[in-house]
């Protein structure tokens, strides 16, 4: 017999949106998780409308147009796409 541990209630997303450079996810306990979009190449290359068409799941966020799923737990642990490359900023 296997036992399943319920997903922590305080880590459930209640809102998610993207600005031009970051993903923002608000959790039930009021925390806001903010991660850079470059961590997720599919989201980074999506349009504003595609990035902001989201579905909240029990344990994360789903982007149906982009076909991307991210877990809150992964965001909290700093997991990014394995081949994600931070963009370089040109020196002025």
């Amino acid at each position: 017999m296997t036992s399943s541990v319920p997903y922590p209630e305080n880590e459930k997303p209640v809102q998610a949106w993207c600005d031009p450079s970051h993903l923002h996810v608000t959790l039930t306990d009021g925390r806001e998780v903010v991660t850079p979009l470059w961590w997720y190449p599919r989201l980074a290359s999506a349009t504003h409308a595609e990035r902001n068409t989201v579905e909240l799941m029990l344990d994360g966020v789903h982007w149906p147009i982009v076909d991307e799923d991210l877990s809150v737990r992964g965001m909290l642990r700093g997991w990014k796409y394995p081949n994600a490359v931070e963009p370089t900023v040109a020196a002025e």
Side-chain angles (χ1 to χ4, degrees):
M1 178 163 76
T2 62
S3 67
S4 63
V5 177
Y7 203 80
E9 181 67 32
N10 65 337
E11 291 183 9
K12 291 181 182 176
V14 294
Q15 185 178 23
W17 72 98
C18 296
D19 65 27
S21 59
H22 291 86
L23 164 62
H24 302 258
V25 179
T26 304
L27 307 180
T28 55
D29 65 4
R31 288 180 290 168
E32 182 180 346
V33 181
V34 181
T35 56
L37 278 180
W38 68 263
W39 282 13
Y40 321 110
R42 281 193 217 167
L43 286 181
S45 64
T47 67
H48 175 76
E50 291 169 337
R51 281 196 298 259
N52 287 295
T53 301
V54 299
E55 297 173 356
L56 302 177
M57 302 181 302
L58 176 66
D59 62 350
V61 184
H62 171 66
W63 288 265
I65 299 171
V66 183
D67 192 26
E68 182 73 270
D69 297 295
L70 298 174
S71 72
V72 169
R73 186 163 290 154
M75 289 179 242
L76 291 170
R77 292 181 178 170
W79 295 345
K80 59 183 176 276
Y81 186 78
N83 296 324
V85 178
E86 183 173 10
T88 58
V89 178
E92 293 183 29

